[in-house]
């Protein structure tokens, strides 16, 4: 401990603690929840001037971590987390969705998933950045009157990813061990990959949507967390898979046990399909990315699993997959207020404006066609998962790009080349959102520039337990991939 510095522990000691370890210290009364909250606030001061990942720290929570009533009997009581500035809200706290259209908006009620976080004992301590409406994986915004670019703790010239970029930057910089994420095209898995973290996207319908939404309205999105350890993700999923009765249009089958208990044992021998193919997009993935994923495949084979190459042309009808996904993606603007007014078009970022304008070309027949395409894609992936227990792919087809670069919503160019570029990069993540399958991104080492690369496992519907088991097995086999520290972190930043 380092109480002489005014903090509960040294930064070196702090940076080694995951959420379960911090919560254990609080339970044993070796540290208080208030001391932990104060240390997080100090960590933000040390790192955020470089990372631009935090919109606000809740001063009342720093003074009193019980302000929002986290469950004191929750397994993770006292562990702070940042809320993502998009999606589920906490009553009395802002949710601005990275947009001028919602600047100053305050949640009037607490959404079910936030209630789940509170039941786990987690302490929402602030709000982390997200790009406007989460419509890219580059977390750059301008709605606050100046350009705010969230940067990667591994290299400040590169993006932390998105749309959960602020959350990922804070976890990678070891300010907090866990933070809120959500994923409509890879927005949990992508920042996890870019920042060397664990990011699980759940089966459609497994995690509750906000009170005013359902999977029928937005079928592609699922909330979750980014963490540094597999066990933290497992522990949190024991709580966030609780859905209010009637609160899901597509209520997924629930795992009857504890995810945290499940990862205490290795998975059985698995059939793993390996793919670094095109997935219906032009070109190939970055060679370094493909090579790291093949290293993971060799590791899996060495652990006793059966790994075989998959012909990705047989996974699903890719033309239907991409047509249906594009229609859903472009028409997402309906959930943010319906048909935009001229004033709204003027208020949003250039590339969100392009999406809104493009949405006008779709009619009700396109929407029905999109639903039929989704049906075909989900059935195609379902048939594939009858042949394999898991699919192993890259998380992204690219390595970590520059911040406020080619994927930024602040660019001003025609929509088609911008969206094609985004989909080419996200060719492996977006199909998980369209099909509804669960998938987890795990660290797979560093590239030649010293930046993280993620590998991704797809599981069958409602098999998050198996995904977490194999991720934990991989973490035990390759701890150096999971426990690498970014150059910008609380222990290194003075």
């Amino acid at each position: 401990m380092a109480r002489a510095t005014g903090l509960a522990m040294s930064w070196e000691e702090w940076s080694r603690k995951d959420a379960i370890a911090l919560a254990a210290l609080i339970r044993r009364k070796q540290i208080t929840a208030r001391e932990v909250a104060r240390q997080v606030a100090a960590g933000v001061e040390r790192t955020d001037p470089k990372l631009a990942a935090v919109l606000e720290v809740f001063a009342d929570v720093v003074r009193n971590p019980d302000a929002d009533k986290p469950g004191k009997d929750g397994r993770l009581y006292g562990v702070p987390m940042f809320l993502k500035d998009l999606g589920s809200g906490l009553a009395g706290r802002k949710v601005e969705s990275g947009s001028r259209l919602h600047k100053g908006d305050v949640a009037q009620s607490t959404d079910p998933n936030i209630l789940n976080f509170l039941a786990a004992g987690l302490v929402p301590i602030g709000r982390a950045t997200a790009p406007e409406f989460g419509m890219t994986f580059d977390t750059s915004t301008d709605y606050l009157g100046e350009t705010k670019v969230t940067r990667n703790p591994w290299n400040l010239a590169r993006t932390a990813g998105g749309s959960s970029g602020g959350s990922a930057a804070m976890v990678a910089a070891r300010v907090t061990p866990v933070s809120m994420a959500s994923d409509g095209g890879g927005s949990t898995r992508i920042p996890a990959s870019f920042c060397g973290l664990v990011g699980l996207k759940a089966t459609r319908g497994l995690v509750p949507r906000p009170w005013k939404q359902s999977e029928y309205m937005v079928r592609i999105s699922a909330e979750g967390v980014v963490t540094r350890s597999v066990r933290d993700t497992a522990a949190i999923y024991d709580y966030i898979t609780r859905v209010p009765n009637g609160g899901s249009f597509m209520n997924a089958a629930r795992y009857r046990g504890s995810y945290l208990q499940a990862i205490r044992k290795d998975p059985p021998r698995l059939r793993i399909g390996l793919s670094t193919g095109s997935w219906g997009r032009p070109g190939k993935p970055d060679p370094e990315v493909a090579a790291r994923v093949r290293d993971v495949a060799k590791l899996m084979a060495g652990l006793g699993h059966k790994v075989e190459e998959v012909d990705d042309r047989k996974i699903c009808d890719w033309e239907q997959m991409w047509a249906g996904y594009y229609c859903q993606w472009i028409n997402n603007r309906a959930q943010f207020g319906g048909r935009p007014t001229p004033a709204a078009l003027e208020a949003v970022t250039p590339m969100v404006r392009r999406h809104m304008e493009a949405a006008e070309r779709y009619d009700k027949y396109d929407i029905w066609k999109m639903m039929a395409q989704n049906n075909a894609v989900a059935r195609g992936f379902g048939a594939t998962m009858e042949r394999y227990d898991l699919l192993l792919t890259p998380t992204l087809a690219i390595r970590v790009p520059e911040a406020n670069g080619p994927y930024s919503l602040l660019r001003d160019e025609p929509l088609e080349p911008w969206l094609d570029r985004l989909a080419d990069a996200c060719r492996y993540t977006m199909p998980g959102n369209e099909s509804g399958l669960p998938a987890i991104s795990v660290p797979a080492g560093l590239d030649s520039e010293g930046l993280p690369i993620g590998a991704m496992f797809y599981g069958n519907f409602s098999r998050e337990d198996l995904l977490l088991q194999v991720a934990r097995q991989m973490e035990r086999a390759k701890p150096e991939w999971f426990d690498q520290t970014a150059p910008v972190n609380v222990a290194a930043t003075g």
Side-chain angles (χ1 to χ4, degrees):
M1 298 294 177
R3 298 183 190 275
T5 67
L7 298 173
M9 62 181 78
S10 71
W11 288 115
E12 289 76 13
E13 185 180 4
W14 174 269
S15 69
R16 293 193 297 270
K17 304 295 183 187
D18 67 359
I20 287 178
L22 273 181
L25 291 176
I26 293 169
R27 268 196 312 275
R28 294 196 296 264
K29 301 187 185 304
Q30 294 176 255
I31 190 174
T32 68
R34 185 167 181 267
E35 288 173 323
V36 169
R38 288 182 58 223
Q39 187 125 11
V40 168
V44 172
E45 292 179 359
R46 290 170 69 84
T47 59
D48 200 55
K50 292 182 178 180
L51 299 176
V54 175
L55 292 165
E56 60 177 321
V57 172
F58 302 147
D60 61 322
V61 174
V62 176
R63 292 191 299 270
N64 174 19
D66 294 327
D68 292 307
K69 299 181 173 57
K72 292 189 176 181
D73 57 350
R75 182 171 190 111
L76 300 174
Y77 171 69
V79 175
M81 69 179 301
F82 284 92
L83 300 179
K84 181 178 178 178
D85 185 38
L86 182 69
S88 292
L90 173 60
R93 308 292 185 186
K94 289 181 182 178
V95 184
E96 297 177 311
S97 303
S99 179
R100 288 185 184 89
L101 296 181
H102 296 285
K103 186 176 179 181
D105 282 6
V106 173
Q108 299 304 303
S109 60
T110 299
D111 284 311
N113 199 35
I114 306 300
L115 291 173
N116 285 340
F117 288 141
L118 292 170
L122 291 163
V123 176
I125 198 166
R127 192 163 49 103
T129 54
E132 190 167 31
F133 301 140
M135 295 187 73
T136 188
F137 62 74
D138 180 310
T139 303
S140 299
T141 61
D142 65 357
Y143 78 102
L144 296 174
E146 62 182 9
T147 300
K148 188 179 182 74
V149 180
T150 300
R151 300 185 180 276
N152 194 315
W154 288 89
N155 183 325
L156 296 176
R158 307 299 178 90
T159 181
S163 59
S164 311
S167 287
M170 284 291 97
V171 176
R174 301 184 177 242
V175 177
T176 53
V178 56
S179 281
M180 176 184 169
S182 59
D183 192 316
S187 292
T188 297
R189 294 163 288 162
I190 294 167
S193 176
F194 286 171
C195 292
L197 306 174
V198 177
L200 172 62
K201 182 204 80 72
T203 300
R204 180 159 45 231
L206 187 67
V207 176
R209 303 291 298 144
W211 290 118
K212 295 181 179 180
Q213 295 183 14
S214 75
E215 296 82 7
Y216 184 69
M217 297 169 64
V218 187
R219 68 170 182 266
I220 60 175
S221 186
E223 293 187 353
V225 290
V226 285
T227 69
R228 293 197 306 270
S229 70
V230 176
R231 70 175 188 169
D232 278 357
T233 295
I236 293 167
Y237 266 78
D238 278 343
Y239 288 89
I240 67 172
T241 52
R242 301 172 182 178
V243 179
N245 194 33
S248 176
F249 182 80
M250 300 172 183
N251 202 346
R254 294 294 182 274
Y255 181 57
R256 295 185 180 276
S258 160
Y259 294 113
L260 189 58
Q261 291 290 330
I263 65 169
R264 292 184 177 178
K265 61 181 181 180
D266 283 341
R269 185 172 187 262
L270 302 173
R271 301 164 298 164
I272 300 177
L274 167 66
S275 177
T276 58
S278 67
W279 284 46
R281 306 303 304 179
K284 297 180 179 180
D286 182 283
E288 288 196 47
V289 170
R292 297 305 299 179
V293 173
R294 291 185 178 278
D295 287 343
V296 174
K298 291 175 185 175
L299 174 65
M300 291 294 106
L303 291 170
H305 303 297
K306 181 181 179 182
V307 181
E308 64 179 59
E309 198 89 22
V310 176
D311 182 352
D312 65 280
R313 294 171 297 179
K314 297 179 180 179
I315 293 175
C316 75
D317 183 326
W318 292 111
E319 184 176 349
Q320 292 200 69
M321 156 61 213
W322 291 109
Y325 189 85
Y326 270 39
C327 184
Q328 166 79 17
W329 183 263
I330 292 171
N331 282 283
N332 259 349
R333 54 89 176 162
Q335 68 171 302
F336 301 112
R339 179 166 278 112
T341 63
L345 287 171
E346 185 65 28
V348 296
T349 51
M351 295 317 301
V352 170
R353 185 182 311 123
R354 296 283 184 267
H355 282 80
M356 289 179 165
E357 292 167 344
E360 297 300 319
R361 68 178 180 237
Y362 292 91
D363 62 20
K364 60 186 177 183
Y365 299 105
D366 293 307
I367 301 303
W368 282 108
K369 183 178 180 181
M370 172 192 73
M371 294 169 71
Q373 289 164 333
N374 174 259
N375 176 59
V377 170
R379 291 179 185 276
F381 268 91
T384 298
M385 297 312 296
E386 289 291 312
R387 300 193 298 273
Y388 301 102
D389 299 302
L390 302 175
L391 285 180
L392 170 61
T393 74
T395 305
L396 268 290
I398 62 170
R399 291 186 286 152
V400 185
E402 66 178 299
N404 197 22
Y407 305 95
S408 172
L409 295 172
L410 305 184
R411 293 175 70 90
D412 194 352
E413 62 177 287
L415 178 64
E416 285 73 16
W418 186 92
L419 186 53
D420 284 344
R421 189 162 62 240
L422 186 76
D424 289 348
C426 299
R427 68 184 66 188
Y428 302 111
T429 56
M430 287 175 170
N433 302 89
E434 184 68 12
S435 67
L437 285 171
I440 190 168
S441 180
V442 289
L446 305 180
D447 68 13
S448 58
E449 296 181 282
L451 295 168
I453 289 176
M456 184 168 62
F457 290 98
Y458 274 103
N460 211 339
F461 297 102
S462 298
R463 289 313 309 265
E464 284 77 5
D465 60 313
L466 194 58
L467 288 172
L468 289 163
Q469 279 186 327
V470 80
R472 178 64 182 126
Q473 183 183 39
M474 185 174 161
E475 187 179 39
R476 281 192 286 263
K478 285 287 186 181
E480 66 272 21
W481 287 355
F482 286 74
D483 197 33
Q484 297 185 94
T485 303
V488 178
N489 68 83
V490 288
T493 303

